[in-house]
Amino acid sequence: MAMALAQHRESSSDSSINKHLDGGKYVRYTAEQVEALERVYAECPKPSSLRRQQLIRECPILSNIEPKQIKVWFQNRRCREKQKKESSRLQTVNRKLTAMNKLLMEENDRLQKQVSQLVCENGYMKQQLHTVNTSAADANCDSLGTTPQHSLRDTNSPAGLLSIAEETLAEFLSKATGTAVDWVQMPGMKPGPDSVGIFTISQSCSGVAARACGLVSLEPIKIAEILKDRPSWSRDCRNLEVFTMFPAGNGGTIELVYAQKFAPTTLAPARDFWTLRYTTTLENGSLVVCERSLSGSGAGPSAAAAAQFVRAEVLPSGYLIRPCEGGGSIIHIVDHLNLEAWSVPEVLRPLYESSKVIAQKMTIAALRYIRQIAQETSGEVVYSLGRQPAVLRTFSQRLSRGFNDAINGFNDDGWSIMNCDGTEDVIIAINSSKCFSSTSNPANALSFLGGVLCAKASMLLQNIAPAVLVRFLREHRSEWADFNVDAYCAASLKAGTNAYPGMRPTRFTGSQIIMPLGHTIEHEELLEVIRLEGHSFVQEDAFVSRDIHLLQICSGIDENAVGACSELVFAPIDEMFPDDGPLLPSGFRVIPLDSKSSDTQDSLTTNRTLDLTSSLEVGPATNHAAGGTSSCRNTRSVLTIAFQFPFESNLRDNVATMARQYVRSVISSVQRVAMAISPSGLNPAVGSKLSPGSPEALTLAHWICRSYSYHLGAELLRSESLGGDSILKNLWQHQDAILCCSLKSQPVFIFANQAGLDMLETTLVALQDITLDKLFDESGRKALCSDFGKLMQQGYACLPAGICISTMGRHVSYEQAFAWKVLEADESTVHCLAFSFVNWSFV
């Protein structure tokens, strides 16, 4: 009976595998036929493949099956494969959601404990107010910042270090999952489906602290390896060295670690740390890496090695990594530091006393990095030019590290200050030991023997958002850069072409093309190649390309990222773009010094010729593309500039003079740009005035709409939008790109609405630098020229579909364009020409 039942099951199983529905009837196949069909499908999965038909004909066992039946089999096979992939994907998503739900439940439990503790503390404080003895005040978080009690223990014996390690583990876990620190949500980092994780900062404890927790698709051991190698992911970590490592006796390890942290500006010394790092596994299978400073400022390496550093303190911090069912891990990150803010100038102390800065630079950066690695490992990340993600990540790290090296100028790297009496606004440092050769082929070392010179300076900026300033510097290089200096640096990095003075005269065309290479998962950092187009003045070199290529990283251009610094770092690179080419980074770093209110309304910047926004209120949704800035009155930020120049020994003084003058020129340009795009004075209540001869913004909006109706016989805006001041706001938010240009010998744009600025990829500040001839491609210019007479005669013209060119060099298609003359109030004087581009999009 049992044997018969087994045979029946086997027969039923074979029947379900080898039969398929064809026109309402099941067709049964033999095991050999199914095997043959599987082989054909594995080799040729595409249904229209001629190779598949050939294989079917060559297989005798399939000759007695009708082609229609074979087609149905392949369709069913493809459907089963799709269903299997979708089922696997849904299972993966379900596992992630289950793990995230568990994380949120734990966070909710922690918050409930914190609420209960606060209620108890509140009751205790009320009781104390009614008693005479007030000496016993609660000091929940302050106890974490006091001098650790382990200072009395023997840090030279394994038993003493193990005791410190166990105490560090307990304190770290109380911060990661308990209520030892009063955590509050990080401003601007609201949790949600698209969020990387949950981010909180300390509210009232000693020092600065931040915490993050999230889900990562990597195994705990891999995550621990990545995070322990801090220089690979932390741009601020200059060096990390493990001096001693020994087993802890419980399966864990104890390490004595010396680490150095770059200073972000030229105004304060760098920090170093002497810590104990404890790695162990908990009973529940979680992996923990926790760390704290060992007492004594003189501990660690020799004093000579740490002479340029201020010893800072790591309070119990680390990583708690728990494996998830089905793969992946839940990670908790805690960073708790005392950066000794007393040792920096008072104006910089907010930078060293801000938990938001620590969160952005360390905690959030760590979680983002391991998520980036997880996506690259799974193959979700695809970059341009066929480069592997690890190669592009190395480029970003090399640029950032080279820039930090230039700002800090450590003596043990070979840097020394050149003729500085302390009163110079620009610091000149030289490094004669810096080597520029290909890492894979040292024989190709560059010919100059002098070294590298760095001109650097820091300055305070008022009322300007760092993200807005850096975004403008990136998009409008011609506003501050000297093409000939870029050409000199690029030529110096090519063996045998270094020459100063007497460089070949070259003219910069003003065109800069940005070619993206890659970006991080949240687009907080962009890696790109910049091509600057140049032409030689010398006749015999007229057909020789003088283009310059720069490798560039741009970060911190999200205005909503509270506490994040903004950077633009670039270096000349050979047009062949070798993986191991020498890099000499220069650039800008802008760091906010004041906290930014999360409920402040954003406002737009001004145009130097036409301030449309003087009476226009635009919400936060429109600030990014228009180059707008968040309302940042009474805010401060520190700008650090560092430019590096290679030199030969006999030209050192000449290059130093040129570098100092150039950096001063850049500083002057940046100050001018910052004043132009600063929101100070843009409040309509201040009464911002327009340039001479220009109408007020509201008046211009009326002229544009009335002239459109007069010439084309239709309304540009809806009738209910034409009353009062609303016409200005509705024109600004119109879906079509609306541009106005002057009537000069070389027409330049004087106004664009939000869509127009998006299409041109520019800002109101830089709009006047764009001429009408740069807007269209060749066919578009021909169409405009052919219709220009008609435009001037009858007052309007309809242009066919075509292509525009943005300031970033990207092509923009549009279905139709209208051009009309904008008449002033007397309806006889032509003020400007207006253009409206319908249904535009980037190609």
Side-chain angles (χ1 to χ4, degrees):
M1 182 69 181
M3 184 179 296
L5 183 60
Q7 290 177 351
H8 174 73
R9 289 175 178 174
E10 183 178 357
S11 175
S12 299
S13 176
D14 290 343
S15 177
S16 63
I17 293 176
N18 298 335
K19 65 182 182 181
H20 295 270
L21 188 64
D22 180 16
K25 298 180 180 180
Y26 281 101
V27 179
R28 181 161 181 152
Y29 303 95
T30 65
E32 292 79 5
Q33 290 174 333
V34 172
E35 184 179 355
L37 289 170
E38 289 286 356
R39 286 198 303 269
V40 173
Y41 183 82
E43 185 170 346
C44 302
K46 294 184 178 180
S48 60
S49 173
L50 297 177
R51 175 63 177 161
R52 175 190 284 186
Q53 304 299 327
Q54 181 182 356
L55 290 174
I56 293 173
R57 288 194 299 268
E58 293 175 355
C59 188
I61 200 172
L62 302 178
S63 59
N64 59 344
I65 304 178
E66 295 182 6
K68 181 180 178 181
Q69 295 176 353
I70 294 178
K71 180 180 179 181
V72 171
W73 188 94
F74 281 122
Q75 290 175 346
N76 293 334
R77 177 66 176 80
R78 192 163 55 252
C79 288
R80 290 201 309 272
E81 187 175 9
K82 290 181 179 179
Q83 290 173 353
K84 185 177 180 180
K85 290 181 180 179
E86 182 65 14
S87 176
S88 177
R89 188 188 68 83
L90 291 176
Q91 289 176 2
T92 302
V93 171
N94 184 58
R95 285 195 298 268
K96 290 182 178 180
L97 292 175
T98 301
M100 186 57 69
N101 182 60
K102 181 180 179 181
L103 179 64
L104 292 174
M105 290 175 64
E106 292 175 353
E107 182 70 7
N108 184 57
D109 291 341
R110 188 194 65 81
L111 291 174
Q112 288 181 351
K113 293 177 182 178
Q114 185 174 338
V115 169
S116 300
Q117 183 175 348
L118 290 175
V119 170
C120 293
E121 291 177 358
N122 186 43
Y124 176 75
M125 293 300 295
K126 286 182 177 179
Q127 182 181 0
Q128 290 297 96
L129 290 175
H130 294 85
T131 61
V132 178
N133 183 14
T134 58
S135 59
D138 181 69
N140 173 47
C141 287
D142 291 342
S143 62
L144 295 172
T146 57
T147 303
Q149 296 298 319
H150 67 263
S151 60
L152 302 178
R153 299 174 189 165
D154 184 8
T155 58
N156 295 320
S157 68
L161 292 175
L162 179 58
S163 177
I164 297 173
E166 293 293 345
E167 181 181 306
T168 302
L169 173 62
E171 292 190 30
F172 160 68
L173 291 177
S174 69
K175 296 177 184 179
T177 60
T179 59
V181 172
D182 186 11
W183 299 113
V184 295
Q185 183 175 298
M186 175 80 174
M189 302 291 289
K190 296 181 179 179
D194 299 327
S195 176
V196 174
I198 301 172
F199 304 104
T200 54
I201 56 176
S202 62
Q203 188 175 32
S204 58
C205 70
S206 176
V208 289
R211 186 180 72 111
C213 48
L215 180 65
V216 181
S217 301
L218 290 175
E219 296 304 313
I221 295 179
K222 179 65 174 178
I223 295 174
E225 290 176 356
I226 293 173
L227 294 178
K228 289 174 72 172
D229 184 17
R230 194 172 301 149
S232 68
W233 59 266
S234 176
R235 301 291 173 82
D236 290 338
C237 183
R238 181 194 182 222
N239 183 38
L240 186 144
E241 184 177 357
V242 178
F243 274 75
T244 305
M245 180 176 66
F246 57 89
N250 56 356
T253 58
I254 293 177
E255 301 165 294
L256 300 184
V257 179
Y258 176 68
Q260 295 174 340
K261 185 175 183 291
F262 285 113
T265 72
T266 62
L267 303 175
R271 266 49 184 166
D272 67 348
F273 306 88
W274 176 244
T275 62
L276 178 146
R277 187 166 66 186
Y278 182 36
T279 305
T280 187
T281 303
L282 303 180
E283 293 181 357
N284 61 2
S286 300
L287 183 62
V288 176
V289 181
C290 56
E291 190 172 12
R292 86 181 307 160
S293 286
L294 294 174
S295 60
S297 59
S302 63
Q308 289 185 274
F309 297 87
V310 171
R311 179 62 52 87
E313 182 183 7
V314 178
L315 302 169
S317 306
Y319 317 109
L320 170 63
I321 312 167
R322 294 184 297 178
C324 296
E325 296 181 4
S329 307
I330 293 177
I331 180 172
H332 295 257
I333 303 175
V334 173
D335 291 303
H336 194 174
L337 306 175
N338 180 3
L339 295 175
E340 306 296 340
W342 59 267
S343 64
V344 302
E346 186 175 354
V347 69
L348 286 183
R349 288 183 186 175
L351 179 60
Y352 290 79
E353 296 173 340
S354 171
S355 294
K356 295 187 288 291
V357 174
I358 290 298
Q360 290 285 356
K361 299 294 285 185
M362 296 181 63
T363 319
I364 299 175
L367 186 56
R368 282 174 172 165
Y369 183 82
I370 55 177
R371 284 178 60 91
Q372 182 83 22
I373 296 296
Q375 288 198 1
E376 292 175 2
T377 304
S378 64
E380 298 179 34
V381 180
V382 179
Y383 287 131
S384 304
L385 302 181
R387 302 280 173 168
Q388 293 296 323
V391 174
L392 299 180
R393 191 166 58 248
T394 301
F395 275 128
S396 299
Q397 291 168 345
R398 288 176 61 194
L399 284 172
S400 181
R401 184 174 184 86
F403 185 58
N404 278 322
D405 282 336
I407 290 175
N408 286 262
F410 294 113
N411 295 336
D412 55 355
D413 284 338
W415 290 99
S416 60
I417 302 299
M418 177 181 175
N419 300 330
C420 181
D421 57 3
T423 61
E424 287 283 351
D425 55 340
V426 177
I427 301 172
I428 302 294
I430 59 172
N431 190 335
S432 300
S433 62
K434 203 158 189 177
C435 177
F436 288 90
S437 62
S438 172
T439 56
S440 64
N441 189 5
N444 293 334
L446 302 183
S447 61
F448 59 91
L449 303 176
V452 176
L453 182 146
C454 177
K456 53 190 176 181
S458 293
M459 55 184 289
L460 191 67
L461 297 177
Q462 298 277 357
N463 303 331
I464 179 68
V468 174
L469 178 59
V470 167
R471 190 163 63 238
F472 184 91
L473 296 176
R474 169 180 175 260
E475 296 174 356
H476 305 282
R477 188 179 183 88
S478 60
E479 290 282 343
W480 55 268
D482 187 333
F483 181 82
N484 288 317
V485 174
D486 291 329
Y488 163 73
C489 293
S492 299
L493 294 179
K494 297 180 181 179
T497 60
N498 183 53
Y500 181 90
M503 296 179 295
R504 289 181 179 271
T506 306
R507 177 177 61 87
F508 177 46
T509 63
S511 175
Q512 109 175 354
I513 299 176
I514 298 179
M515 297 173 284
L517 289 179
H519 54 77
T520 50
I521 55 176
E522 290 191 320
H523 292 76
E524 71 273 5
E525 181 176 282
L526 309 174
L527 177 66
E528 51 204 14
V529 171
I530 311 299
R531 191 180 77 191
L532 307 176
E533 295 182 351
H535 298 289
S536 175
F537 283 125
V538 183
Q539 184 64 32
E540 55 268 24
D541 293 340
F543 299 100
V544 178
S545 174
R546 294 295 176 190
D547 294 351
I548 296 173
H549 294 81
L550 304 173
L551 184 66
Q552 178 173 279
I553 55 172
C554 181
S555 61
I557 54 176
D558 179 10
E559 298 172 52
N560 297 318
V562 180
C565 78
S566 303
E567 290 184 349
L568 184 69
V569 181
F570 50 87
I573 193 170
D574 187 84
E575 59 268 18
M576 299 304 294
F577 196 18
D579 292 348
D580 52 4
L583 296 178
L584 197 61
S586 303
F588 307 87
R589 173 180 291 153
V590 191
I591 310 174
L593 294 177
D594 301 312
S595 61
K596 183 166 64 174
S597 174
S598 59
D599 57 354
T600 315
Q601 186 182 16
D602 293 344
S603 60
L604 288 172
T605 61
T606 183
N607 185 336
R608 285 170 290 184
T609 56
L610 179 59
D611 180 13
L612 174 67
T613 62
S614 60
S615 57
L616 176 63
E617 295 180 358
V618 180
T622 63
N623 63 351
H624 178 81
T629 130
S630 301
S631 180
C632 48
R633 299 178 187 279
N634 303 320
T635 61
R636 298 172 300 169
S637 55
V638 59
L639 167 67
T640 298
I641 302 175
F643 282 77
Q644 297 191 76
F645 305 89
F647 69 91
E648 292 186 355
S649 298
N650 60 330
L651 298 174
R652 189 187 75 172
D653 293 339
N654 290 338
V655 175
T657 301
M658 179 269 291
R660 181 178 283 109
Q661 293 175 350
Y662 180 61
V663 169
R664 285 174 177 167
S665 172
V666 171
I667 290 174
S668 177
S669 299
V670 171
Q671 288 176 328
R672 174 177 54 83
V673 168
M675 290 180 63
I677 63 179
S678 170
S680 58
L682 295 189
N683 194 333
V686 179
S688 175
K689 297 297 181 181
L690 305 175
S691 59
S694 296
E696 294 181 357
L698 183 59
T699 302
L700 178 62
H702 279 286
W703 290 354
I704 293 172
C705 295
R706 189 176 63 229
S707 299
Y708 182 91
S709 176
Y710 175 79
H711 292 299
L712 281 82
E715 297 295 339
L716 181 61
L717 303 175
R718 297 190 303 269
S719 57
E720 62 268 18
S721 303
L722 298 178
D725 296 346
S726 63
I727 186 173
L728 180 59
K729 184 174 183 179
N730 285 280
L731 181 67
W732 177 260
Q733 297 175 348
H734 198 280
Q735 63 182 359
D736 296 339
I738 299 175
L739 312 171
C740 292
C741 69
S742 61
L743 287 172
K744 299 180 180 179
S745 57
Q746 188 176 19
V748 297
F749 289 104
I750 61 173
F751 163 69
N753 69 343
Q754 179 66 67
L757 294 174
D758 292 347
M759 186 183 76
L760 293 178
E761 294 188 294
T762 188
T763 63
L764 283 171
V765 178
L767 190 63
Q768 69 169 3
D769 298 329
I770 305 173
T771 57
L772 181 60
D773 62 312
K774 293 181 180 179
L775 177 64
F776 298 95
D777 63 354
E778 187 62 30
S779 60
R781 283 192 290 268
K782 290 181 180 179
L784 178 62
C785 290
S786 62
D787 290 336
F788 192 78
K790 179 182 178 181
L791 169 63
M792 299 308 295
Q793 181 178 2
Q794 69 179 22
Y796 72 95
C798 298
L799 305 179
I803 298 293
C804 289
I805 308 297
S806 76
T807 57
M808 298 291 104
R810 293 206 289 173
H811 287 194
V812 184
S813 65
Y814 57 90
E815 293 184 1
Q816 193 177 18
F818 298 97
W820 69 96
K821 294 191 291 186
V822 176
L823 304 178
E824 294 184 1
D826 58 7
E827 296 187 355
S828 60
T829 305
V830 180
H831 178 71
C832 61
L833 296 179
F835 295 85
S836 176
F837 296 88
V838 181
N839 294 335
W840 62 272
S841 62
F842 289 105
V843 179

